[in-house]
Amino acid sequence: MTDTLLPSVTDLPQERRLVTELPGPRSRALMERRAAAVSAGVGGTMPVFAERAGGGVIVDVDGNSLIDLGSGIAVTTVGNAHPRVVERVQRQVADFTHTCFMVTPYSGYVEVCEALNRLTPGDHVKRSALFNSGAEAVENAVKIARAYTKRQAVVVFDHGYHGRTNLTMALTAKNMPYKQSFGPFAPEVYRMPMSYPFRDGPHTGAEVASWATTKMEKEIGGANIAAIVIEPIQGEGGFIVPAPGFLPALKAYAEQHGIVFVADEIQSGFCRTGQWFASEHEGVVPDLITTAKGIAGGLPLAGVTGRAEIMDAVHVGGLGGTYGGNPIACAAALGSVEAMEEEDLNTRALAIEAIMRERLEALQAAHPEVGDIRGRGAMIAIELVKPGTMDPDPELAGRVSKAAHAQGVVTLTCGTYGNVLRFLPPLTIPDHLLREGLDVVAAAFDA
Ligand code: PLZ
């Protein structure tokens, strides 16, 4: 089988190579320093410290080369240290590092907004604003929707994840670890049922949408809702792809009642699913889209993009922040977009999906614990259950993930029940490494 090697793959050998046990001695020493210096509240997936990364590997401080099936939680879509990103960032950092866009603006910010306006679905007139993190983008989308509609209520969904700030904790469904002991949470947030095909039995997307819209109508009143905020494919919630018809029905309800439809594409956007945005798979044109993660090749940048009349409804000075749209992060974003277009990374995401599905279907055939395989493009997950039941098996997900880590494969779990293994490889991963990574995961099931 031939390998796909994108021009961007670095000089780092694209191989899994274990030269010590994991974690090795240097990582262990750094873990001790971490424990003494870093708040215990900051979580950790693997006790392995990174030194370099690129293509499909992360090389640790002991010289082990790990297969990256996580992309730093869906961020390094163009791969780590992509040459286009490195080149533009190096130039920018030498020219100037910060002026504050609100004080003396610079062209990179405008160019990123132009790119977002061009790449997001819909041919209406658009505007964008830039921020530092996904949570900040979601908060601002809500601020903008409230200012535009002069309404307060915000609708979110079961299993949804939108961030860790006070408002976005309220928007997020799962208590542990995101919300526990951090209340009180922001008011005027209402949670609706989410289409979850694996767990919905015979109910269609349209039916679940009608439960949600009826609940909205009866419990809030459409005329009081500022925004419906939804991930077109849920990320942290378990890579839940709603059944066909669910998103279009919600969008139709939003249109009917003058509600701003906000797609949180922070995890699902920017070539991850084989389209620029996951909304496109269902032909849904959101009023506002939030982006972050994959847009800037690893630098902190986030955006809100949407209809000009909504984005411009905020008073002058109502949006901003010291670092929002920092020039270095903007340079990285322009490099990422260039890489995505030049290397046709949407097509690459679909090729990765084909490889992942084939391997995971074979795994499912041999292991009844694999209840569901789902996702799109390079955003694929398996949901683990106790065989013959629908009971979530988070212990198994944890064990398999740990076993993969010990063998040098970076995997992540997710899901409300913690029983979902998710795969988010950088799109620059060579085929042979992707296959090897999945084989290691499969071997963990056999063991
Ligand atoms: N919206 C859809 O996926 C971030 C969270 C990791 P920030 N997801 C990773 C963790 O445990 O903190 C995310 C997302 C969606 C919003 C966010 C928030 O983005 O950049 O982490 O603030």
Side-chain angles (χ1 to χ4, degrees), residues 73 133-135 161-164 178 231 236 264 266-267 293:
I73 324 189
S133 67
Y161 181 91
H162 301 287
R164 293 176 181 266
Y178 308 120
E231 303 156 83
E236 305 306 306
D264 179 349
I266 286 164
Q267 191 152 166
K293 292 189 184 278

Side-chain angles (χ1 to χ4, degrees), residues 115-256:
L116 287 168
N117 297 348
R118 172 170 65 86
L119 295 168
T120 45
D123 49 16
H124 48 276
V125 182
K126 295 174 205 156
R127 305 272 190 270
S128 292
L130 303 181
F131 305 97
N132 301 296
S133 67
E136 214 189 329
V138 176
E139 290 237 15
N140 277 282
V142 170
K143 284 162 66 173
I144 294 163
R146 282 177 170 162
Y148 173 72
T149 58
K150 303 183 170 61
R151 305 172 183 177
Q152 295 186 354
V154 180
V155 162
V156 290
F157 292 83
D158 287 333
H159 314 288
Y161 181 91
H162 301 287
R164 293 176 181 266
T165 57
N166 187 263
L167 175 59
T168 58
M169 276 193 293
L171 303 180
T172 291
K174 192 174 174 176
N175 179 49
M176 273 301 270
Y178 308 120
K179 302 165 77 164
Q180 174 65 34
S181 73
F182 297 147
F185 303 112
E188 286 302 320
V189 173
Y190 301 86
R191 194 168 307 285
M192 298 298 140
M194 172 72 188
S195 165
Y196 191 161
F198 180 57
R199 296 190 174 275
D200 285 347
H203 302 291
T204 63
E207 271 177 277
V208 181
S210 84
W211 303 341
T213 54
T214 304
K215 197 168 152 71
M216 283 185 237
E217 197 55 36
K218 297 300 165 202
E219 297 180 11
I220 318 165
N224 297 317
I225 303 173
I228 294 176
V229 181
I230 189 163
E231 303 156 83
I233 298 178
Q234 289 182 324
E236 305 306 306
F239 282 25
I240 301 167
V241 185
F246 180 74
L247 294 171
L250 296 179
K251 178 65 177 37
Y253 180 80
E255 272 172 31
Q256 200 186 331

Side-chain angles (χ1 to χ4, degrees), residues 5-88:
L5 274 182
L6 294 163
S8 56
V9 169
T10 67
D11 59 327
L12 283 180
Q14 295 298 300
E15 61 181 13
R16 180 170 65 108
R17 184 183 67 237
L18 299 185
V19 296
T20 70
E21 61 182 338
L22 289 180
R26 291 197 166 135
S27 277
R28 284 204 301 272
L30 282 163
M31 282 303 288
E32 273 179 38
R33 284 171 57 192
R34 173 185 160 137
V38 179
S39 162
V42 182
T45 301
M46 281 179 79
V48 170
F49 276 70
E51 192 166 84
R52 287 193 66 194
V57 301
I58 298 174
V59 178
D60 78 2
V61 289
D62 291 288
N64 299 297
S65 176
L66 318 176
I67 299 177
D68 183 9
L69 299 185
S71 297
I73 324 189
V75 171
T76 51
T77 306
V78 297
N80 253 293
H82 190 291
R84 290 261 178 248
V85 174
V86 172
E87 192 190 311
R88 279 180 176 265

